[in-house]
Amino acid sequence: MNFLPMIIVFPLIMAIIMNLLHGKEKAVKYLTFATAIVLIALPFIGEYGYYYFSGHGVVDGWISGIAYLYNPAKQAVIITLSLIASLVLITGMGEKLKNNMFVTLSLMGFASISAIVLADDIFNLYVFFEIISIVQAGLVFLSGTEEAYKAGLRYMIIGSVAAALMLLGITFLLASTGTLNISDMKHHLLTDNPMVYGGLLLLIVGLAYGSGLPPFHNIKADLYARSKGFISAMLQTYSKFVLVGLMLIILKLFNGLSYFSSAHAVLIALGVLAMVFGVVMALLQSDYKKLLAYHAISQGGYVATGLALGTPLGIVAGIFHAINHVIYKSALFLGAYIVSCKRGSNLHKLGGLLPLMPYVAFMVLCAKLAISGVPPFNGFQSKWMLAEAAMQVNMPEIAIIMIIVSIGTFVSMMKAFYLIYLKPVDEETLKEYQGKEVPKLAVFSLFVLTALCIIIGLDPSLITNYLWDYAREIGVNYCLK
Amino acid sequence: MASFITSGLLVVIGLYGVFFVDNVLKKIIALEILGSGVNLALIAIGYNGGTIPIKLPNVPLNVFAKESAYPLTHALVLTNIVIEASMLAVMLGVSIILYKKYKTLKGSVILKED
């Protein structure tokens, strides 16, 4: 028997149970810990291959139920997702917020993202795409400030528009192919048809919204910046994997078709714009979390560019960079959370934290070097692969932009490091710092993530071995003249 | 054809309302109109002159598939209505919270970025 659906069903059931345990703090705490442990085991229980609910191709191949596809590449993504989710849940245990709501929403988010990554039928993908936007807004509302409500409402209004347009795109694809199953739909797309162009374009709108590519980068960055540090770690994980999931589906459907080349260019342009906008906006920020939020957008651009190249190497590099980015950016957001427990996140009011938390500072420095692409950390490995993929299709200008953006990232990261940890401060501030405790669970999560940064940086084949098969299946080799 | 034109009109009205009307409540109503337009388009592509796609227990599957309209789109629309309703409920709740704070529903005040 195949237990694959448990990846989606188990977190949903736990989310409902957590919701019923309102007010019973101890029970919620123990159950959260147990769930966090089980989440890590979940990606290993499913078998590879297709999984169909309620049959497939019942009458002349017209009616078919929910379909999932599980393979090593998707397994690697879900392993990372479950790791981050359980670390964030464990960190959240030490925090006194409306505890069970946070756990409920995170688990719903986990279920939706795994469904988006696994989905092999478009409507299932759409349903969870909508759920994830409610979940993200809800996680932001948890911080309870007025700014958070504004950011969440903005996100939901734009989100409803983008989701409705994406559903219209799905309608177009359904009208021109007669099926929603992705593997079946591929066979009907060979002839070009204006309706299919419309469907593809509207799918790209949904992709840009779900992953914070331009023109949606501002609302997405606002969303990250307004929530608590460890919740932002969760939120940016969600959007990176939405990007990977949707992009893999678009590539699986259209890659290699003659009319895909212009959409190809649009996707690459979106990725490059996200890279540049993100890093330029980040250089201007004086709020630490907002700075990190714009870097999350910028790194999303790297992932989108790599995947949009559409070659096997580009796809591997894109997914690998998504995984690496999720790891080090979560570490950075957790670092921001630890700092904000001392004194907010305004860079001009912080300083002199190095003697108080030398280990945290060291781990955050490792994550900062990783995001700027310095060897031997994991960011270097995937950025190198991305540049290589761009050179392979004869687009050296993309590799150059990637390197320039990396330099911008390094500059703003080091500026933030100086302002938070090294800048000298007066006696009074030091006393204020000493009165407040460091959340120990967050430091533990930070340690695990930093260790992963170094391990993957030393041996990237730990992850890339999982990715090559699927990338060769959906990727197409080509070279521009 | 008429249903496609109607759904196109609904989508355009909805998009106009969301982006150009400066009132959060009206924006949310416009989202509902936009959603209805998409739902109508979905229903319309599934209609082939058949009967209502409800499978009764005594009808065999292949007879049902021949006689009824395409059932997949109806399932999609039902699901979409449910999701949309929950999204709208959350949005309305948040706008009430923000209204209590600002005493206005103007989008330029409530949704302003700073």
Side-chain angles (χ1 to χ4, degrees):
Chain A
M1 195 177 157
N2 193 347
F3 286 105
L4 180 63
M6 285 311 280
I7 297 177
I8 293 140
V9 176
F10 172 75
L12 281 179
I13 292 173
M14 287 315 283
I16 295 167
I17 292 173
M18 291 288 182
N19 203 13
L20 294 176
L21 288 174
H22 187 77
K24 292 174 186 141
E25 249 181 57
K26 260 206 167 147
V28 169
K29 221 169 210 180
Y30 290 127
L31 210 54
T32 309
F33 187 69
T35 314
I37 303 289
V38 176
L39 281 189
I40 297 182
L42 274 182
F44 300 99
I45 58 173
E47 289 163 22
Y48 294 145
Y50 289 95
Y51 189 93
Y52 298 108
F53 289 88
S54 64
H56 171 239
V58 177
V59 180
D60 305 331
W62 275 72
I63 302 172
S64 112
I66 296 169
Y68 290 131
L69 168 64
Y70 199 47
N71 56 27
K74 299 192 174 190
Q75 191 183 23
V77 170
I78 292 184
I79 289 172
T80 322
L81 175 65
S82 59
L83 190 81
I84 306 271
S86 45
L87 287 177
V88 170
L89 284 179
I90 287 173
T91 309
M93 275 161 55
E95 172 82 355
K96 281 219 173 358
L97 30 86
K98 293 161 193 161
N99 221 326
N100 56 352
M101 227 31 229
F102 159 66
V103 179
T104 305
L105 288 172
S106 315
L107 287 174
M108 273 172 71
F110 178 86
S112 330
I113 295 298
S114 9
I116 288 175
V117 172
L118 293 179
D120 199 46
D121 93 73
I122 295 194
F123 193 69
N124 181 32
L125 173 110
Y126 169 76
V127 170
F128 284 104
F129 185 85
E130 281 265 26
I131 293 177
I132 196 69
S133 76
I134 301 185
V135 166
Q136 286 181 320
L139 281 172
V140 177
F141 295 153
L142 277 185
S143 66
T145 61
E146 177 196 314
E147 295 301 324
Y149 282 117
K150 277 163 118 182
L153 185 59
R154 249 197 322 270
Y155 185 74
M156 285 188 87
I157 288 180
I158 300 291
S160 304
V161 176
L165 290 180
M166 188 169 151
L167 185 61
L168 199 60
I170 293 171
T171 311
F172 286 168
L173 289 178
L174 176 64
S176 49
T177 62
T179 175
L180 284 174
N181 189 299
I182 291 168
S183 308
D184 293 344
M185 190 187 274
K186 192 168 171 47
H187 305 298
H188 298 281
L189 290 172
L190 297 174
T191 53
D192 63 343
N193 174 348
M195 215 128 170
V196 176
Y197 298 156
L200 175 57
L201 188 73
L202 293 172
L203 271 189
I204 292 176
V205 172
L207 169 88
Y209 163 74
S211 53
L213 298 178
F216 300 105
H217 57 291
N218 273 337
I219 42 168
K220 199 79 176 185
D222 219 35
L223 204 69
Y224 300 150
R226 302 294 178 208
S227 49
K228 287 186 180 266
F230 61 98
I231 294 180
S232 317
M234 200 81 211
L235 291 177
Q236 60 94 12
T237 310
Y238 291 161
S239 22
K240 284 302 148 322
F241 288 152
V242 169
L243 174 59
V244 170
L246 269 172
M247 204 70 149
L248 285 180
I249 283 166
I250 289 180
L251 286 175
K252 189 173 175 187
L253 281 176
F254 297 102
N255 202 9
L257 299 180
S258 57
Y259 58 84
F260 185 56
S261 55
S262 45
H264 216 131
V266 171
L267 285 172
I268 293 177
L270 279 181
V272 171
L273 283 179
M275 265 175 359
V276 176
F277 285 177
V279 86
V280 171
M281 293 294 281
L283 283 166
L284 301 172
Q285 300 304 323
S286 62
D287 184 283
Y288 186 39
K289 265 197 311 207
K290 200 133 204 196
L291 185 145
L292 291 179
Y294 276 109
H295 276 302
I297 303 289
S298 155
Q299 303 291 313
Y302 277 92
V303 178
T305 315
L307 284 166
L309 288 173
T311 57
L313 182 62
I315 294 169
V316 169
I319 305 176
F320 185 37
H321 192 68
I323 290 172
N324 288 337
H325 169 259
V326 158
I327 291 170
Y328 55 62
K329 188 45 75 61
S330 297
L332 286 172
F333 271 123
L334 286 173
Y337 167 63
I338 294 168
V339 169
S340 69
C341 287
K342 292 280 187 193
R343 197 189 214 188
S345 65
N346 189 330
L347 284 173
H348 297 300
K349 289 185 184 158
L350 287 161
L353 278 169
L354 183 64
L356 285 167
M357 36 168 108
Y359 298 112
V360 172
F362 174 72
M363 290 189 279
V364 170
L365 183 65
C366 287
K368 285 189 179 196
L369 292 177
I371 194 177
S372 339
V374 176
F377 298 101
N378 56 358
F380 164 73
Q381 300 287 359
S382 51
K383 283 189 181 179
W384 185 261
M385 278 176 87
L386 282 168
E388 212 174 22
M391 297 298 279
Q392 201 189 43
V393 297
N394 207 1
M395 286 195 227
E397 51 275 36
I398 289 180
I400 293 169
I401 294 174
M402 278 170 180
I403 291 165
I404 293 174
V405 170
S406 272
I407 296 170
T409 311
F410 185 73
V411 170
S412 62
M413 281 297 164
M414 287 304 123
K415 181 190 91 179
F417 188 78
Y418 170 76
L419 287 174
I420 292 171
Y421 293 102
L422 303 176
K423 195 177 75 176
V425 284
D426 49 16
E427 287 288 311
E428 232 170 81
T429 323
L430 276 179
K431 258 181 207 155
E432 192 194 322
Y433 284 154
Q434 270 154 359
K436 288 172 187 162
E437 268 185 42
V438 172
K440 291 205 177 59
L441 290 169
V443 178
F444 165 75
S445 306
L446 182 57
F447 171 74
V448 175
L449 291 169
T450 317
L452 274 176
C453 277
I454 297 172
I455 293 169
I456 296 174
L458 293 176
D459 186 6
S461 59
L462 274 178
I463 305 283
T464 47
N465 281 351
Y466 278 96
L467 308 177
W468 274 106
D469 283 342
Y470 193 49
R472 285 206 188 91
E473 192 186 319
I474 62 174
V476 175
N477 273 314
Y478 65 96
C479 185
L480 295 182
K481 279 180 195 116
Chain B
M1 202 59 217
S3 47
F4 286 115
I5 294 171
T6 320
S7 86
L9 274 176
L10 286 175
V11 168
V12 172
I13 293 171
L15 284 176
Y16 173 82
V18 172
F19 289 113
F20 297 105
V21 177
D22 189 25
N23 181 320
V24 174
L25 215 55
K26 286 183 186 169
K27 274 182 202 284
I28 293 173
I29 293 170
L31 285 176
E32 180 66 41
I33 295 173
L34 174 60
S36 309
V38 177
N39 284 346
L40 184 59
L42 258 174
I43 292 276
I45 62 160
Y47 185 66
N48 52 5
T51 56
I52 313 164
I54 299 173
K55 189 184 168 300
L56 298 170
N58 54 358
V59 180
L61 199 57
N62 46 353
V63 177
F64 167 71
K66 250 175 225 153
E67 284 183 355
S68 77
Y70 191 34
L72 185 56
T73 53
H74 289 255
L76 302 192
V77 170
L78 271 180
T79 322
N80 190 36
I81 289 171
V82 173
I83 301 171
E84 222 176 66
S86 43
M87 287 284 278
L88 292 177
V90 175
M91 278 191 269
L92 288 172
V94 178
S95 12
I96 290 172
I97 294 173
L98 287 173
Y99 176 74
K100 280 183 183 156
K101 172 83 191 165
Y102 290 96
K103 299 289 173 212
T104 173
L105 277 173
K106 275 194 169 168
S108 50
V109 179
I110 294 187
L111 299 177
K112 197 171 153 256
E113 235 176 300
D114 30 24

